[in-house]
Amino acid sequence: MTSENPIPTVDLTSFSSPSTHSDADRLAAGQAFVAVLHRYGFANVIGHGFTADEINQAFQWNKTLFDLPYADKMKAPHPPGPFPHRGYSGIDHYARADTNTSTSPDGEEATRKISDLKESFEVGSAHDDQQQNIWLPDDTLPGFRAYATSLYERLAGVGSVLLAAIGLGLGLDAQEHDALQHLASHRHSQLRLLHYPAVSKARLRHDVRARMPAHNDWATFTMLFQDGDSGGLELRDPQTGGQFLRAQPEGGALVLNVGDMLERFTNGYFRSAVHRVSVPEAEMVDEETGVPARRSIPFFVSPAPSHTVATLSRFVSDENPRRYDPVRFGEYGASVSKYHYQVGNI
Ligand SMILES: O=C(O)CCC(=O)C(=O)O
Ligand SMILES: [Fe+2]
């Protein structure tokens, strides 16, 4: 079931424009942010520092990239296997052309991996010592490499600001704050451009249940922009455990969801939110247009792979005993991403 109620919006202008705000403003905003994340594992964030023009520009690049012919996009192919998680993964329209019109729910369409319903381009830091970026030749998409590199840096900066807001809202001391900062490595986070093509009513009827099935993100937290009014991102309410709530795109807001590392760090005070990208029921959709295309831009704020994430002792008590052993982020991420790669759904 889906609720119409969007998740609450938090304004973090006092952090993104510190000179025009007081410490008291920041404390109040940080505490409000923490309260929403504690309740939902998600928050809509405004005042993050990205202008409307910057967001439009990011979606314009998303469109220009995915509008390229498949053969051009495949000049920067994601290598087989989960690592390095870089470059283009997508839909071979030519290979699937002959199965596109299948109407049998038992046929090939039904068993097709859900990954066929999206295409993505993964970008890391230019200074990542573990995973190298995989770029298109510059004459295939002039300026894209420079743009995506700058977008990565910009979002990494926003991620640090949001992490500081969480630290202030939690009332961490200096040592705890230092441990929190290790959950965001500018060199090891990840930018993803996503495009979900339009889906026909026929496919909705027969085999398409979701654009991205329910999952958790395994890093610290994810910041995500969604295009226009297409929507579709939903989170499972951590309090009811069943009901899915819409994360509606609201003018310029980014959606932040808690990932596994922040859950472990806080011993479950923040829950890594289960989320999915849904499609409407076939009956709700126009025969001609189907479900329109959708674009999103997530940024996964992550620790360094060598960093061991341990629970802060302030979150451990007799009522809430330690739930997690310390874990090296690289090892954790490798096992989870290997699983996702095998099932091919994220
Ligand atoms: O496209 C979206 O809105 C969600 C993307 C997502 O959950 C992911 O890439 O992990
Ligand atoms: Fe996700």
Side-chain angles (χ1 to χ4, degrees):
M1 216 183 97
T2 299
S3 161
E4 293 303 319
N5 296 332
I7 51 173
T9 298
V10 182
D11 185 351
L12 296 182
T13 310
S14 53
F15 289 91
S16 56
S17 302
S19 59
T20 51
H21 291 79
S22 66
D23 286 349
D25 291 340
R26 276 183 286 282
L27 184 59
Q31 287 175 341
F33 189 27
V34 161
V36 174
L37 289 179
H38 174 54
R39 163 66 182 82
Y40 293 93
F42 258 67
N44 262 323
V45 176
I46 57 171
H48 41 63
F50 261 69
T51 64
D53 281 351
E54 284 180 298
I55 298 170
N56 288 341
Q57 189 187 21
F59 281 106
Q60 196 50 55
W61 273 108
N62 177 312
K63 180 164 172 29
T64 310
L65 168 68
F66 292 118
D67 279 354
L68 288 175
Y70 180 69
D72 277 353
K73 290 181 279 199
M74 284 302 285
K75 290 178 184 168
H78 188 298
F83 283 102
H85 198 30
R86 298 288 182 265
Y88 175 76
S89 315
I91 313 152
D92 183 345
H93 292 279
Y94 301 100
R96 56 178 281 200
D98 57 348
T99 58
N100 256 349
T101 53
S102 164
T103 53
S104 163
D106 303 314
E108 193 174 346
E109 288 284 289
T111 54
R112 184 193 303 288
K113 282 182 179 171
I114 207 128
S115 57
D116 286 359
L117 297 169
K118 67 175 188 305
E119 50 186 344
S120 63
F121 197 97
E122 321 289 339
V123 175
S125 162
H127 309 290
D128 191 327
D129 48 3
Q130 312 270 316
Q131 302 186 66
Q132 309 276 300
N133 276 316
I134 297 174
W135 296 112
L136 295 167
D138 208 48
D139 56 1
T140 301
L141 188 54
F144 176 66
R145 175 177 180 160
Y147 173 73
T149 303
S150 68
L151 181 62
Y152 176 98
E153 291 300 330
R154 185 92 172 75
L155 283 164
V158 172
S160 293
V161 171
L162 268 48
L163 199 66
I166 292 172
L168 190 69
L170 285 172
L172 301 186
D173 65 27
Q175 206 182 350
E176 293 169 324
H177 191 77
D178 193 48
L180 181 75
Q181 289 303 319
H182 278 96
L183 298 186
S185 165
H186 278 217
R187 291 185 176 205
H188 300 100
S189 294
Q190 194 198 320
L191 169 63
R192 182 173 216 205
L193 304 183
L194 273 166
H195 170 224
Y196 303 82
V199 183
S200 69
K201 188 161 179 159
R203 286 205 70 187
L204 278 184
R205 274 202 202 100
H206 295 298
D207 67 329
V208 177
R209 301 286 172 265
R211 279 177 152 159
M212 194 179 278
H215 67 281
N216 301 79
D217 294 344
W218 64 85
T220 301
F221 59 74
T222 306
M223 309 184 298
L224 177 136
F225 289 107
Q226 305 180 68
D227 67 336
D229 51 10
S230 57
L233 177 61
E234 296 178 347
L235 67 127
R236 191 157 74 200
D237 187 335
Q239 282 196 0
T240 66
Q243 190 185 30
F244 274 86
L245 308 174
R246 287 173 196 225
Q248 286 289 47
E250 299 191 352
L254 68 74
V255 175
L256 183 141
N257 67 276
V258 171
D260 294 352
M261 293 304 112
L262 194 53
E263 172 169 324
R264 297 176 83 101
F265 186 75
T266 60
N267 205 28
Y269 182 74
F270 296 134
R271 304 284 295 279
S272 173
V274 175
H275 55 285
R276 67 183 185 191
V277 182
S278 66
V279 286
E281 298 287 323
E283 295 72 51
M284 310 293 287
V285 166
D286 186 71
E287 189 79 51
E288 289 283 296
T289 50
V291 183
R294 172 177 190 274
R295 295 170 199 281
S296 68
I297 304 179
F299 185 86
F300 303 93
V301 172
S302 314
S306 59
H307 183 64
T308 296
V309 178
T311 302
L312 280 188
S313 49
R314 78 154 59 216
F315 292 105
V316 179
S317 63
D318 287 346
E319 298 75 53
N320 190 22
R322 186 177 298 276
R323 299 185 195 182
Y324 307 103
D325 290 330
V327 70
R328 228 168 153 254
F329 178 64
E331 280 160 26
Y332 185 88
S335 67
V336 179
S337 59
K338 192 168 153 210
Y339 168 75
H340 283 309
Y341 188 83
Q342 275 162 2
V343 299
N345 59 8
I346 311 295

